[in-house]
Amino acid sequence: MSETVLIVDDEDSVRRTFQEWLTSAGWGVRVFAVADAEAALLIANENPIDLAVLDWNLGSGSDGLRLLEDLVVFTPDIVAILVTGFAHQATPLDALRMGVRDYLDKNQDLNRDAFLAAVRKQLDRIIPAKRQRELNTSLGAFRESVEKVLPLVRASAALNDPVPLPDAVRSLFRFLLRGTGATEGVLIVRHVAADNTETMTVYDAAGQLLPRPTVPFSRSLAASVVSMQEPCVMNDFADSSAGSMELMPFEQNRKSILAAQLRVGPGVQVVLEMFDKPVFTDADRRMTAVAAELGAELLRQGLAEKQTHRLLFDAVESALQASREVSSMLTTPPDAVMESLRTGLDASANSVIDSATGLELLEAVRVLAVRHGPDAVRHCTTLVTSLKQLLDGLSG
């Protein structure tokens, strides 16, 4: 937004001259010119004033300093230039405290160049400070709104996928252990991010996380199962039969292993392993193959739920961090914050919520927070949580 200059002078010829000089300077500033304090305050009530050029003696018992005191109520950061032939009457300290930064003496040669030089000097000081204030205010409001949004994002992410990953793992193993007669099982999930960063997570048959394995996936038994592209049975298994593979702690000292890949999605490799049935049969292998096909969709939902949580939280944290960094960089536009958020929301091809949907959610709750405050956001969070519990109850 362009800067706004208010000229207040009870002499019509002086007022018109000042306005013409400013308008013809080509600086793109908005200029208001009025004759008295009452008209000036009406303008200030509807328009934030950056610079006021005030006549010292406005007539009717009013003066520029008294008007400036009233203008500060509307725009606390207003800066003023006093035009006067009585500069000696002003108290310099009080005037400075109220925002007076320069004097123009009517009794001297007050020409166009002197006037424009004084105004330009103040605008050059005002503009950077104003931009910084606007940026800090915008980013502060953004951070406050996003922090209010977080509880609703958590509820929305949970609502998106009502099957948590531990429940999905537990349901799959409940069927397989009962059907095959295996005594234990694990699910190994390997995820490769866009930057080739690899993470590996292991769940037991109850859906609980096990300690993160130290064996690289590429040298693991699970990697061999993925390369075979079909369930494999290893009866009479001994640690020595692993060959070049490195066994993970939960695979060591097993008597038998039945392992199969679950094709969940790109960038994610999932292998289930079941242990210690005296002899795994071809029927067990076929059952596991069928269960792997059916269970892949269930796990896909569970993994998507986990990924959605991480994706949204990482994106919001990235945006908050960007807002803190941008606040110290005057030349960087606030759009960088939203771009950071979009990038985070688009980071995964497996996400069940796209950036447009995520940003629509954030904007809706931001408006709710601004208009109605934290109580409205808390009420909305309660409603979403209640809806999730209702759907969970209906879906079992």
Side-chain angles (χ1 to χ4, degrees), residues 55-74:
D55 186 13
W56 170 265
N57 185 4
L58 292 174
S60 302
S62 180
D63 62 57
L65 274 182
R66 187 174 302 172
L67 171 58
L68 181 57
E69 287 186 80
D70 295 332
L71 290 174
V72 168
V73 174
F74 295 97

mmCIF file of all heavy atoms in Angstrom, residues 55-74:
data_model
loop_
_atom_site.group_PDB
_atom_site.id
_atom_site.type_symbol
_atom_site.label_atom_id
_atom_site.label_comp_id
_atom_site.label_asym_id
_atom_site.label_seq_id
_atom_site.Cartn_x
_atom_site.Cartn_y
_atom_site.Cartn_z
ATOM 1 N N ASP A 55 0.049 22.851 9.737
ATOM 2 C CA ASP A 55 0.272 24.265 10.008
ATOM 3 C C ASP A 55 0.293 24.463 11.524
ATOM 4 O O ASP A 55 -0.535 23.903 12.250
ATOM 5 C CB ASP A 55 -0.851 25.085 9.372
ATOM 6 C CG ASP A 55 -0.587 26.581 9.486
ATOM 7 O OD1 ASP A 55 0.546 26.967 9.819
ATOM 8 O OD2 ASP A 55 -1.536 27.349 9.265
ATOM 9 N N TRP A 56 1.250 25.246 11.983
ATOM 10 C CA TRP A 56 1.347 25.482 13.426
ATOM 11 C C TRP A 56 0.090 26.166 13.948
ATOM 12 O O TRP A 56 -0.489 25.765 14.949
ATOM 13 C CB TRP A 56 2.585 26.343 13.716
ATOM 14 C CG TRP A 56 2.631 26.845 15.130
ATOM 15 C CD1 TRP A 56 2.195 28.044 15.598
ATOM 16 C CD2 TRP A 56 3.122 26.138 16.261
ATOM 17 N NE1 TRP A 56 2.381 28.152 16.944
ATOM 18 C CE2 TRP A 56 2.959 26.990 17.385
ATOM 19 C CE3 TRP A 56 3.688 24.884 16.450
ATOM 20 C CZ2 TRP A 56 3.339 26.617 18.664
ATOM 21 C CZ3 TRP A 56 4.067 24.509 17.721
ATOM 22 C CH2 TRP A 56 3.892 25.361 18.818
ATOM 23 N N ASN A 57 -0.356 27.191 13.239
ATOM 24 C CA ASN A 57 -1.519 27.958 13.681
ATOM 25 C C ASN A 57 -2.680 27.685 12.733
ATOM 26 O O ASN A 57 -2.731 28.195 11.622
ATOM 27 C CB ASN A 57 -1.181 29.455 13.696
ATOM 28 C CG ASN A 57 -2.308 30.294 14.268
ATOM 29 O OD1 ASN A 57 -3.316 29.754 14.725
ATOM 30 N ND2 ASN A 57 -2.144 31.598 14.238
ATOM 31 N N LEU A 58 -3.634 26.877 13.206
ATOM 32 C CA LEU A 58 -4.777 26.500 12.369
ATOM 33 C C LEU A 58 -5.974 27.413 12.564
ATOM 34 O O LEU A 58 -7.013 27.212 11.957
ATOM 35 C CB LEU A 58 -5.193 25.043 12.685
ATOM 36 C CG LEU A 58 -4.180 23.981 12.268
ATOM 37 C CD1 LEU A 58 -4.618 22.597 12.766
ATOM 38 C CD2 LEU A 58 -4.014 23.963 10.760
ATOM 39 N N GLY A 59 -5.854 28.417 13.439
ATOM 40 C CA GLY A 59 -6.980 29.303 13.705
ATOM 41 C C GLY A 59 -7.986 28.648 14.632
ATOM 42 O O GLY A 59 -7.904 27.450 14.954
ATOM 43 N N SER A 60 -8.940 29.404 15.094
ATOM 44 C CA SER A 60 -9.996 28.930 16.005
ATOM 45 C C SER A 60 -9.413 28.314 17.265
ATOM 46 O O SER A 60 -9.966 27.368 17.835
ATOM 47 C CB SER A 60 -10.896 27.902 15.294
ATOM 48 O OG SER A 60 -11.479 28.467 14.138
ATOM 49 N N GLY A 61 -8.273 28.828 17.699
ATOM 50 C CA GLY A 61 -7.669 28.344 18.935
ATOM 51 C C GLY A 61 -6.992 27.001 18.823
ATOM 52 O O GLY A 61 -6.618 26.409 19.841
ATOM 53 N N SER A 62 -6.839 26.492 17.617
ATOM 54 C CA SER A 62 -6.231 25.173 17.415
ATOM 55 C C SER A 62 -4.826 25.346 16.862
ATOM 56 O O SER A 62 -4.512 26.339 16.201
ATOM 57 C CB SER A 62 -7.081 24.347 16.446
ATOM 58 O OG SER A 62 -6.504 23.078 16.248
ATOM 59 N N ASP A 63 -3.962 24.373 17.160
ATOM 60 C CA ASP A 63 -2.627 24.413 16.587
ATOM 61 C C ASP A 63 -2.202 23.006 16.168
ATOM 62 O O ASP A 63 -2.832 22.000 16.525
ATOM 63 C CB ASP A 63 -1.615 25.016 17.561
ATOM 64 C CG ASP A 63 -1.475 24.208 18.838
ATOM 65 O OD1 ASP A 63 -1.151 23.004 18.750
ATOM 66 O OD2 ASP A 63 -1.688 24.768 19.932
ATOM 67 N N GLY A 64 -1.115 22.951 15.395
ATOM 68 C CA GLY A 64 -0.675 21.688 14.825
ATOM 69 C C GLY A 64 -0.283 20.648 15.856
ATOM 70 O O GLY A 64 -0.551 19.451 15.690
ATOM 71 N N LEU A 65 0.365 21.081 16.945
ATOM 72 C CA LEU A 65 0.785 20.114 17.967
ATOM 73 C C LEU A 65 -0.412 19.477 18.655
ATOM 74 O O LEU A 65 -0.423 18.273 18.930
ATOM 75 C CB LEU A 65 1.676 20.805 19.008
ATOM 76 C CG LEU A 65 3.169 20.894 18.691
ATOM 77 C CD1 LEU A 65 3.911 21.568 19.844
ATOM 78 C CD2 LEU A 65 3.756 19.529 18.423
ATOM 79 N N ARG A 66 -1.437 20.295 18.935
ATOM 80 C CA ARG A 66 -2.627 19.733 19.581
ATOM 81 C C ARG A 66 -3.320 18.743 18.639
ATOM 82 O O ARG A 66 -3.791 17.688 19.065
ATOM 83 C CB ARG A 66 -3.578 20.860 19.962
ATOM 84 C CG ARG A 66 -4.772 20.383 20.788
ATOM 85 C CD ARG A 66 -5.588 21.573 21.263
ATOM 86 N NE ARG A 66 -4.771 22.488 22.053
ATOM 87 C CZ ARG A 66 -5.187 23.689 22.472
ATOM 88 N NH1 ARG A 66 -6.410 24.108 22.158
ATOM 89 N NH2 ARG A 66 -4.393 24.458 23.184
ATOM 90 N N LEU A 67 -3.384 19.070 17.354
ATOM 91 C CA LEU A 67 -3.968 18.148 16.380
ATOM 92 C C LEU A 67 -3.149 16.865 16.288
ATOM 93 O O LEU A 67 -3.697 15.767 16.203
ATOM 94 C CB LEU A 67 -4.044 18.821 15.001
ATOM 95 C CG LEU A 67 -4.442 17.913 13.832
ATOM 96 C CD1 LEU A 67 -5.806 17.261 14.074
ATOM 97 C CD2 LEU A 67 -4.437 18.699 12.511
ATOM 98 N N LEU A 68 -1.823 17.017 16.346
ATOM 99 C CA LEU A 68 -0.966 15.833 16.267
ATOM 100 C C LEU A 68 -1.238 14.879 17.430
ATOM 101 O O LEU A 68 -1.237 13.647 17.257
ATOM 102 C CB LEU A 68 0.504 16.262 16.245
ATOM 103 C CG LEU A 68 1.535 15.132 16.131
ATOM 104 C CD1 LEU A 68 1.289 14.303 14.880
ATOM 105 C CD2 LEU A 68 2.951 15.699 16.125
ATOM 106 N N GLU A 69 -1.489 15.438 18.620
ATOM 107 C CA GLU A 69 -1.830 14.580 19.762
ATOM 108 C C GLU A 69 -3.055 13.729 19.467
ATOM 109 O O GLU A 69 -3.126 12.549 19.834
ATOM 110 C CB GLU A 69 -2.090 15.447 21.002
ATOM 111 C CG GLU A 69 -0.850 16.056 21.609
ATOM 112 C CD GLU A 69 -1.191 16.782 22.904
ATOM 113 O OE1 GLU A 69 -1.333 16.121 23.947
ATOM 114 O OE2 GLU A 69 -1.334 18.018 22.866
ATOM 115 N N ASP A 70 -4.043 14.326 18.793
ATOM 116 C CA ASP A 70 -5.258 13.581 18.459
ATOM 117 C C ASP A 70 -5.002 12.576 17.332
ATOM 118 O O ASP A 70 -5.560 11.480 17.328
ATOM 119 C CB ASP A 70 -6.372 14.547 18.043
ATOM 120 C CG ASP A 70 -6.807 15.446 19.197
ATOM 121 O OD1 ASP A 70 -6.686 15.009 20.360
ATOM 122 O OD2 ASP A 70 -7.253 16.583 18.932
ATOM 123 N N LEU A 71 -4.156 12.941 16.377
ATOM 124 C CA LEU A 71 -3.878 12.027 15.267
ATOM 125 C C LEU A 71 -3.134 10.771 15.737
ATOM 126 O O LEU A 71 -3.315 9.684 15.180
ATOM 127 C CB LEU A 71 -3.046 12.738 14.191
ATOM 128 C CG LEU A 71 -3.764 13.829 13.387
ATOM 129 C CD1 LEU A 71 -2.782 14.537 12.459
ATOM 130 C CD2 LEU A 71 -4.918 13.232 12.571
ATOM 131 N N VAL A 72 -2.315 10.924 16.757
ATOM 132 C CA VAL A 72 -1.568 9.788 17.290
ATOM 133 C C VAL A 72 -2.511 8.705 17.806
ATOM 134 O O VAL A 72 -2.195 7.506 17.771
ATOM 135 C CB VAL A 72 -0.596 10.248 18.399
ATOM 136 C CG1 VAL A 72 -0.027 9.063 19.170
ATOM 137 C CG2 VAL A 72 0.543 11.066 17.795
ATOM 138 N N VAL A 73 -3.689 9.106 18.262
ATOM 139 C CA VAL A 73 -4.676 8.128 18.736
ATOM 140 C C VAL A 73 -5.059 7.177 17.608
ATOM 141 O O VAL A 73 -5.247 5.973 17.813
ATOM 142 C CB VAL A 73 -5.914 8.850 19.291
ATOM 143 C CG1 VAL A 73 -6.996 7.840 19.657
ATOM 144 C CG2 VAL A 73 -5.539 9.707 20.489
ATOM 145 N N PHE A 74 -5.170 7.701 16.385
ATOM 146 C CA PHE A 74 -5.545 6.886 15.233
ATOM 147 C C PHE A 74 -4.340 6.126 14.674
ATOM 148 O O PHE A 74 -4.460 4.958 14.284
ATOM 149 C CB PHE A 74 -6.149 7.763 14.131
ATOM 150 C CG PHE A 74 -7.448 8.407 14.508
ATOM 151 C CD1 PHE A 74 -7.478 9.709 14.985
ATOM 152 C CD2 PHE A 74 -8.643 7.712 14.406
ATOM 153 C CE1 PHE A 74 -8.685 10.307 15.340
ATOM 154 C CE2 PHE A 74 -9.848 8.302 14.759
ATOM 155 C CZ PHE A 74 -9.872 9.603 15.229
#
